Amino acid sequence: MKNLLQKTTSLLVLTAVLFACKPEVKVAPDSFTVTGTIEGLDTEYMSRSYKDAEGNRVSDSIFVENGKFTYTAKISEPEFIVFWPNVENTIKRTDRGYYPAKSSQFAFLAAPGDYIEFKGEVTDFVDAYPTGTPANDDLASINSKIFPLLNQAVNMQLEQNKLEDTDPRYQVLTDSMNLLNEKVDEMKKEFVASNPKSEAAAWYLSDMMVRSQVSQDEAIKIFKSFDKGLAGYTYYEAVAQRVEGIESTMEGKIIPNFTSNATPNGETFELYSLKGKYVLVDFWGTWCAPCIAEMPTVKEYQEKYKDQLVILGINSGDSMEKMVQFLDKYDYDWQQVLAQNETEDLVLKLNVAGFPTKFILDPEGKIIKRFVGSTEEAFDVLDEILE
């Protein structure tokens, strides 16, 4: 018995020594590092796309050798990041392109000083998840459950694309996809509601609000249950701004004022300077085909009601240079600002969850109507008001 105790004690001491001697990974406080050795990651490099400080789209490569990768980059605040693996099995191709499936991404939350490790494998989707920080442990706990379901849904979509819509299997697949997507949405709602202290839950609620996957009432209720210890975290603050935006941009409310020098001429613009006339506020981007399709009509209405109506364009997703080049090309000469400036994000402030979004304001700044998505009806309302 004594010898057994001695052996057990020696083993515990040896284990403690080995654990204590495990080298600590040092990451600079202005950077993050992410690594992994993933079975099935048969590619030479992965891709990351992001915006630089000037708002320009930048691409970066994450080199892979024998399924192993390590990538370090600068970071100034918490950020949700994805890598596209460039593994053919994961690319959901169609005759006209491909579906950018979430289940085909390496997805993680990075913050200054983070060291993150991926574990798992790549099959026909990325069945690999991050660990190493509480935020990523929580993110892995939900993504490992929903990524397989999202992959099933997108595979059904690919199968359905091969069928005529009169084929009986077409509707069966539609119903199956809807059930899977509804299940995923419910799992995400349960996750954010059950993890009030989680940074990953704050990110997920922010993302779900952008995608209109949670009702405004549900979002407000969940947000108000979050632990106040999350205050200051990037995505908690994003949700806070959206919740404030929901409450302040209801029809009949006076739209919140803002000032911005993110204008083509660099001069400061104030929203309330437009009081005295009706205002059409148009959220748009050059990447948004419906937005671009409606802009000739916006120009038409600028001329049609030039003595009564002012147009304000709020661009999201473009650099100042790209926006100005587009406006000059088509002679769109109404007031423009970028949605993102040094102090605030107007997409969050005004709770914009789809593009295009249009507001019609009365001369006192009261919101008469709000339109999201296809917004042709906005022009009919303008005719009713101004004719």
Side-chain angles (χ1 to χ4, degrees):
M1 183 68 176
K2 184 177 179 180
N3 288 339
L4 178 60
L5 287 173
Q6 288 175 335
K7 288 180 180 179
T8 302
T9 302
S10 298
L11 181 59
L12 289 172
V13 170
L14 179 60
T15 302
V17 169
L18 289 174
F19 181 79
C21 293
K22 182 179 179 180
E24 183 180 351
V25 178
K26 298 288 186 181
V27 179
D30 63 349
S31 303
F32 71 91
T33 293
V34 57
T35 188
T37 302
I38 307 297
E39 184 179 349
L41 186 57
D42 300 324
T43 184
E44 294 182 355
Y45 68 94
M46 297 189 287
S47 301
R48 175 192 176 197
S49 178
Y50 61 98
K51 290 181 182 176
D52 63 16
E54 287 72 44
N56 298 307
R57 182 61 61 181
V58 178
S59 295
D60 206 356
S61 296
I62 302 92
F63 294 101
V64 179
E65 185 174 356
N66 297 324
K68 181 177 177 59
F69 67 90
T70 297
Y71 174 80
T72 298
K74 299 284 188 182
I75 193 168
S76 59
E77 62 181 3
E79 183 179 348
F80 177 74
I81 296 173
V82 299
F83 295 162
W84 291 98
N86 299 317
V87 175
E88 184 61 33
N89 288 347
T90 68
I91 302 174
K92 308 302 182 177
R93 295 191 185 278
T94 72
D95 293 338
R96 293 173 291 181
Y98 68 95
Y99 292 110
K102 285 185 173 295
S103 54
S104 294
Q105 303 170 345
F106 284 84
F108 61 100
L109 286 160
D114 278 356
Y115 180 81
I116 302 153
E117 183 179 4
F118 269 87
K119 297 180 179 180
E121 63 179 341
V122 172
T123 56
D124 69 324
F125 73 105
V126 176
D127 196 13
Y129 309 97
T131 187
T133 68
N136 283 294
D137 291 345
D138 289 345
L139 191 68
S141 73
I142 180 63
N143 284 355
S144 61
K145 295 174 183 175
I146 68 172
F147 272 26
L149 302 181
L150 292 172
N151 185 56
Q152 287 181 43
V154 74
N155 285 345
M156 288 178 184
Q157 182 70 70
L158 294 174
E159 185 178 348
Q160 187 187 61
N161 288 348
K162 302 173 184 177
L163 304 175
E164 298 292 334
D165 58 11
T166 55
D167 190 312
R169 292 172 295 171
Y170 191 95
Q171 187 59 47
V172 171
L173 288 168
T174 296
D175 293 342
S176 297
M177 285 186 287
N178 288 340
L179 286 172
L180 281 171
N181 289 326
E182 288 170 8
K183 183 176 182 180
V184 166
D185 286 349
E186 288 305 313
M187 291 171 72
K188 291 192 292 188
K189 289 178 190 178
E190 172 64 22
F191 170 73
V192 297
S194 301
N195 292 275
K197 297 182 179 182
S198 170
E199 293 176 350
W203 176 82
Y204 248 119
L205 181 56
S206 174
D207 185 66
M208 292 174 73
M209 292 177 75
V210 170
R211 301 177 191 281
S212 300
Q213 294 172 341
V214 59
S215 72
Q216 293 186 350
D217 289 343
E218 287 174 319
I220 292 172
K221 181 179 179 181
I222 293 170
F223 172 71
K224 289 183 176 179
S225 75
F226 276 172
D227 191 284
K228 296 303 184 289
L230 287 172
Y233 180 64
T234 298
Y235 295 106
Y236 176 91
E237 296 302 328
V239 174
Q241 288 186 61
R242 281 201 175 274
V243 167
E244 183 178 349
I246 289 170
E247 296 172 339
S248 63
T249 59
M250 294 178 178
E251 292 177 5
K253 295 272 191 175
I254 298 294
I255 195 167
N257 192 25
F258 65 84
T259 59
S260 175
N261 59 5
T263 58
N265 59 13
E267 295 181 2
T268 300
F269 168 79
E270 181 184 7
L271 176 60
Y272 282 4
S273 69
L274 302 182
K275 282 188 174 184
K277 289 189 175 183
Y278 288 91
V279 181
L280 177 66
V281 181
D282 183 22
F283 277 84
W284 69 284
T286 61
W287 49 269
C288 168
C291 302
I292 301 307
E294 291 180 1
M295 290 185 79
T297 309
V298 174
K299 183 175 178 65
E300 175 189 335
Y301 273 66
Q302 180 194 34
E303 295 298 322
K304 184 176 182 179
Y305 298 113
K306 60 184 177 182
D307 295 328
Q308 302 164 273
L309 179 68
V310 178
I311 311 294
L312 170 63
I314 302 180
N315 177 285
S316 180
D318 294 314
S319 66
M320 181 67 73
E321 180 182 8
K322 186 169 184 178
M323 180 183 76
V324 169
Q325 286 177 349
F326 175 84
L327 296 171
D328 289 347
K329 180 178 180 180
Y330 294 99
D331 194 27
Y332 296 143
D333 59 355
W334 51 89
Q335 177 69 56
Q336 298 283 347
V337 300
L338 293 182
Q340 290 78 25
N341 58 55
E342 293 181 357
T343 59
E344 60 187 349
D345 185 336
L346 299 179
V347 170
L348 298 177
K349 185 181 181 75
L350 300 181
N351 185 38
V352 174
F355 286 79
T357 286
K358 290 181 174 63
F359 294 89
I360 297 177
L361 314 180
D362 76 3
E364 297 303 314
K366 181 164 59 176
I367 300 169
I368 298 174
K369 291 290 288 184
R370 172 194 179 109
F371 305 89
V372 181
S374 181
T375 56
E376 292 92 341
E377 186 187 349
F379 303 108
D380 296 332
V381 172
L382 286 173
D383 284 332
E384 292 173 8
I385 295 170
L386 299 175
E387 278 187 343

